[in-house]
Amino acid sequence: GAVVSQHPSWVICKSGTSVKIECRSLDFQATTMFWYRQFPKQSLMLMATSNEGSKATYEQGVEKDKFLINHASLTLSTLTVTSAHPEDSSFYICSARAQRLSYEQYFGPGTRLTVT
Amino acid sequence: EDQVTQSPEALRLQEGESSSLNCSYTVSGLRGLFWYRQDPGKGPEFLFTLYSAGEEKEKERLKATLTKKESFLHITAPKPEDSATYLCAVQAWDSNYQLIWGAGTKLIIKP
C-alpha cells in the first residue's frame, strides 16, 4: 500500500513553454500533498503544501505564479511550471500524506525536468 | 529554530561490516522522526517513523533508535544493495505535517 505515482518521469521542454506534472496517490486518499525540488547532491527543498480543495501554501522564495499547484481531488495534485527557463531545470518530487497512515509522507518517483 | 544534522556525510563499508548513521535534531515539539532511503534519480522510500525516546524499529538489516536529541540508523551486515543515501527528517507538532530534512548520509557498501 501507500503508492504514489508521478507523470511524466522525465520531460524536456523549450524555454518559455509550460509543463504540467501529475502526482497521484494510487491506493489511498491524500489529505495533504507536498511538492519538492531537489538539486544534484542536495537534500529535498519543500516548495509548497496543498490540501484537497484549498489553495496551496508556498514556501518563502517560491513564486506561486510560476509554480501553479492544483489539488483537485484526494488522489491527484498537479504542478505546472509556467514560462519555464533553464534555471527551472531540476528534479521535482511529490509526496502525499493520508490520515489513516498517520504522519508519514509517501513519495512519488520524481520527474526530471530539463528546459532548453 | 528546528534543525536536523546528519553524520557522516558519506560512509564506505565493506560488505558485512556493521555501522551506524547519526541524525541529531532540535525541534520545538517532536511529532515524529522519519528515516527514508533514496536511490539516485528516484524519490525517497519510507523506512521508519519513531515517535518517542526509547522507541526502536527494525526492518531486515536496519534498526532505528531514538533519544531526545538524536536518532541512529544501525545497519547490520550490510550488502551492496543497501548502498543509497539515507535521509532523516523531523516533523513538529506545530507544523502542517511538513518535514525538516537533514542533508543525508551517502552509504556505499563494497562487495
Side-chain angles (χ1 to χ4, degrees), chain A residues 85-105:
Chain A
H85 292 284
E87 56 266 30
D88 299 323
S89 298
S90 190
F91 191 53
Y92 292 88
I93 316 174
C94 71
S95 70
R97 186 191 76 85
Q99 186 72 36
R100 68 177 178 85
L101 295 175
S102 194
Y103 307 117
E104 294 85 9
Q105 292 182 25

Side-chain angles (χ1 to χ4, degrees), chain A residues 38 43 49 102-105, chain B residues 36 38 46 49 51 97-98 102:
Chain A
Q38 188 174 35
S43 193
T49 303
S102 194
Y103 307 117
E104 294 85 9
Q105 292 182 25
Chain B
Y36 287 85
Q38 187 176 26
F46 171 72
T49 306
Y51 294 105
Y97 304 102
Q98 294 159 340

Side-chain angles (χ1 to χ4, degrees), chain A residues 14-88:
Chain A
K14 292 186 177 180
S15 187
T17 62
S18 296
V19 174
K20 180 183 283 188
I21 302 170
E22 289 189 352
C23 176
R24 293 181 184 273
S25 56
L26 298 185
D27 54 359
F28 66 99
Q29 292 186 323
T31 54
T32 311
M33 284 186 164
F34 305 84
W35 285 95
Y36 293 86
R37 186 172 179 178
Q38 188 174 35
F39 294 102
K41 298 185 179 181
Q42 292 189 25
S43 193
L44 300 160
M45 183 187 80
L46 179 66
M47 298 175 67
T49 303
S50 73
N51 296 296
E52 185 264 342
S54 59
K55 289 184 178 181
T57 302
Y58 291 80
E59 295 300 299
Q60 193 170 9
V62 177
E63 300 175 59
K64 62 180 181 181
D65 294 330
K66 182 169 187 60
F67 298 99
L68 302 178
I69 292 171
N70 185 290
H71 192 164
S73 76
L74 284 172
T75 60
L76 174 64
S77 178
T78 59
L79 168 68
T80 301
V81 183
T82 63
S83 186
H85 292 284
E87 56 266 30
D88 299 323

Side-chain angles (χ1 to χ4, degrees), chain B residues 91-106:
Chain B
Q91 189 178 95
W93 276 109
D94 61 357
S95 72
N96 184 17
Y97 304 102
Q98 294 159 340
L99 296 175
I100 299 165
W101 294 90
T105 293
K106 184 174 182 178

Side-chain angles (χ1 to χ4, degrees), chain B residues 2 11 13 15 20 45 47 49 51 63 88-89 91 94 104-105 110:
Chain B
D2 298 341
L11 182 61
L13 300 172
E15 183 173 1
S20 298
E45 174 190 347
L47 294 175
T49 306
Y51 294 105
K63 179 180 176 180
C88 172
Q91 189 178 95
D94 61 357
T105 293
K110 298 176 287 184

Side-chain angles (χ1 to χ4, degrees), chain B residues 7-96:
Chain B
S7 62
E9 288 186 17
L11 182 61
R12 293 175 181 268
L13 300 172
Q14 287 293 136
E15 183 173 1
E17 181 185 359
S18 301
S19 188
S20 298
L21 313 182
N22 178 264
C23 172
S24 299
Y25 66 92
T26 54
V27 65
S28 51
L30 181 70
R31 175 186 276 148
L33 183 142
F34 305 84
W35 283 99
Y36 287 85
R37 167 192 171 130
Q38 187 176 26
D39 293 300
K42 297 187 178 180
E45 174 190 347
F46 171 72
L47 294 175
F48 304 109
T49 306
L50 301 168
Y51 294 105
S52 57
E55 190 174 1
E56 299 182 353
K57 289 193 177 174
E58 287 187 69
K59 180 181 178 179
E60 297 180 355
R61 295 177 292 281
L62 298 176
K63 179 180 176 180
T65 62
L66 181 66
T67 72
K68 289 187 178 180
K69 293 183 179 181
E70 58 190 349
S71 176
F72 290 94
L73 184 65
H74 307 278
I75 182 161
T76 303
K79 298 181 179 182
E81 53 262 41
D82 295 321
S83 298
T85 295
Y86 290 85
L87 298 169
C88 172
V90 298
Q91 189 178 95
W93 276 109
D94 61 357
S95 72
N96 184 17

